[in-house]
Amino acid sequence: MQTTSFIKRFSARTVLTATAFTASLLFTNLSNAAAPLKVGYSDWPGWVAWQVAIDKGWFKEAGVDVQFEWFDYVASMDAFAAGKIDGVTVTNGDALVTGSGGAKNVMILLTDYSNGNDMIVAKQGIKSLKDLKGKKIGLETGFVEHLLLLNGLEKIGMKESDVTIVNTKTNETPQALASGDLSAIGAWQPNSGEAMSRVPGAKPIYTSADEPGLIYDVLTVSPTSLSSRKADWKKVIKVWDKVVMYINDPKTQPDAVKIMAARVGIKPEAYLPLLKGTKLLSLEEGKKVFVKAPGFKSLYGSSKISDDFNVKYGVYKKPMDIQKAIDPSLLAK
């Protein structure tokens, strides 16, 4: 993947709306015991990781017939909404948005959480969020970076009204910061990195690493497919554990990074830093997050916060049923 492909993935995430899903919804049941499970994945590092299992032939070893299909981010959700694939890799917040549009889905696996790749980047001289009081911040309202900013402001006792948010497309934030009209921007990699390269002295003052669990990434599947192919999905999940161990093991990480970098079309040395902003979760780590609890250490709690945010900012109108949107049963031994 070229850098522009990353931009496409992230930019696409920002244009996601419940309305779009409603309009495109033609959900059909593709689950068929004779057919392979179809999973849509895209270029977020936590999902590119599946390429390791694909290249290594681990699904065949596990005895499950699964076909991963490569998409741009929103295209993967469109395919899921159209019933062309059984499962898709998305953020937990976007899984709710997908469901609000009518494409019912159930989160069955946590792949990772954003661990710094999403960030508020400020110009030179601004050292903290407090320094942004009364200043302009460019980000896309109603989406991930907006949530990140509000989370940071709340921690230090500031309100949204203490700053001026300028609605700015994420892939345009580097240019917007460089223009001089803004004091900070909210963006994810590589846009945030590009912003810092364009504006000398610019640096992140708040990132997703400051609030682990604010943005979880998941594999979510159609309830019909889950019901009819539960044993197969369980095999898929078990393979994920092998993927995480292979990537995290210093002995095998170079080979894993080589595979992941090849999938997205960049050199391994350029890909490796992206892993640092993505905390991959083993099944044991994921099980601890699948517990019902408030707050960011729980997928339920994090999703409830995302749901409240989505309703407040009009991404969709009515709260989603978080209990039905998550199924931890496949993680049980």
Side-chain angles (χ1 to χ4, degrees):
M1 177 185 63
Q2 303 298 323
T3 298
T4 51
S5 182
F6 270 110
I7 294 174
K8 284 181 180 178
R9 181 266 180 182
F10 291 131
S11 299
R13 181 168 69 171
T14 64
V15 301
L16 175 64
T17 67
T19 301
F21 278 110
T22 302
S24 64
L25 184 63
L26 291 171
F27 197 85
T28 57
N29 174 19
L30 285 179
S31 295
N32 183 324
L37 293 174
K38 294 184 178 180
V39 177
Y41 71 130
S42 50
D43 55 13
W44 175 253
W47 306 327
V48 176
W50 287 111
Q51 193 64 41
V52 175
I54 297 168
D55 284 15
K56 293 293 182 182
W58 290 342
F59 292 112
K60 186 176 182 179
E61 287 181 10
V64 58
D65 190 5
V66 57
Q67 178 180 327
F68 276 73
E69 298 187 6
W70 186 252
F71 292 95
D72 281 343
Y73 185 53
V74 162
S76 71
M77 290 182 282
D78 286 342
F80 180 80
K84 295 179 180 178
I85 51 179
D86 299 284
V88 65
T89 54
V90 294
T91 68
N92 58 324
D94 285 346
L96 298 177
V97 175
T98 303
S100 74
K104 294 181 180 178
N105 64 93
V106 183
M107 294 179 251
I108 62 171
L109 172 69
L110 269 169
T111 54
D112 63 276
Y113 61 78
S114 178
N115 192 36
N117 277 343
D118 295 82
M119 58 184 73
I120 306 299
V121 175
K123 285 185 173 180
Q124 188 174 26
I126 297 176
K127 299 179 180 179
S128 70
L129 291 176
K130 288 184 178 179
D131 294 336
L132 289 176
K133 189 169 185 177
K135 293 185 169 58
K136 294 181 179 178
I137 305 168
L139 52 77
E140 281 197 287
T141 58
F143 292 94
V144 173
E145 308 309 322
H146 192 177
L147 176 61
L148 177 68
L149 175 65
L150 296 186
N151 171 268
L153 293 177
E154 183 180 8
K155 282 184 174 180
I156 58 174
M158 287 176 64
K159 301 177 181 177
E160 185 175 18
S161 58
D162 289 329
V163 300
T164 298
I165 294 177
V166 180
N167 193 18
T168 307
K169 291 183 178 179
T170 300
N171 64 333
E172 295 176 359
T173 52
Q175 302 92 315
L177 187 67
S179 72
D181 292 335
L182 303 173
S183 296
I185 54 101
W188 42 70
Q189 292 283 21
N191 301 288
S192 51
E194 183 182 350
M196 287 185 278
S197 67
R198 283 175 176 249
V199 182
K203 65 178 182 180
I205 57 173
Y206 193 72
T207 79
S208 52
D210 294 309
E211 191 64 89
L214 180 68
I215 307 167
Y216 283 113
D217 296 302
V218 302
L219 169 64
T220 195
V221 305
S222 83
T224 304
S225 179
L226 179 59
S227 176
S228 62
R229 305 285 296 274
K230 196 164 188 175
D232 284 338
W233 283 116
K234 194 165 187 175
K235 291 177 181 176
V236 171
I237 286 175
K238 285 187 175 179
V239 169
W240 175 255
D241 217 25
K242 196 171 181 178
V243 169
V244 175
M245 286 190 290
Y246 196 77
I247 294 174
N248 287 340
D249 188 334
K251 295 180 181 178
T252 52
Q253 188 179 77
D255 184 49
V257 171
K258 182 179 178 181
I259 291 171
M260 297 169 73
R263 170 65 271 187
V264 299
I266 62 176
K267 294 181 178 179
E269 55 268 31
Y271 195 85
L272 183 60
L274 300 178
L275 287 183
K276 295 180 180 178
T278 306
K279 171 59 180 175
L280 299 175
L281 297 170
S282 68
L283 295 188
E284 281 303 311
E285 290 171 326
K287 284 171 67 175
K288 296 176 182 176
V289 183
F290 259 100
V291 296
K292 295 181 180 179
F296 294 113
K297 292 185 178 180
S298 161
L299 180 61
Y300 290 87
S302 173
S303 297
K304 178 64 170 61
I305 293 168
S306 292
D307 187 55
D308 291 343
F309 175 83
N310 289 339
V311 173
K312 180 178 181 180
Y313 290 95
V315 179
Y316 48 78
K317 294 183 179 179
K318 296 181 180 179
M320 298 294 293
D321 188 336
I322 303 299
Q323 306 303 316
K324 291 184 178 179
I326 300 171
D327 184 348
S329 65
L330 272 65
L331 295 174
K333 292 183 179 179

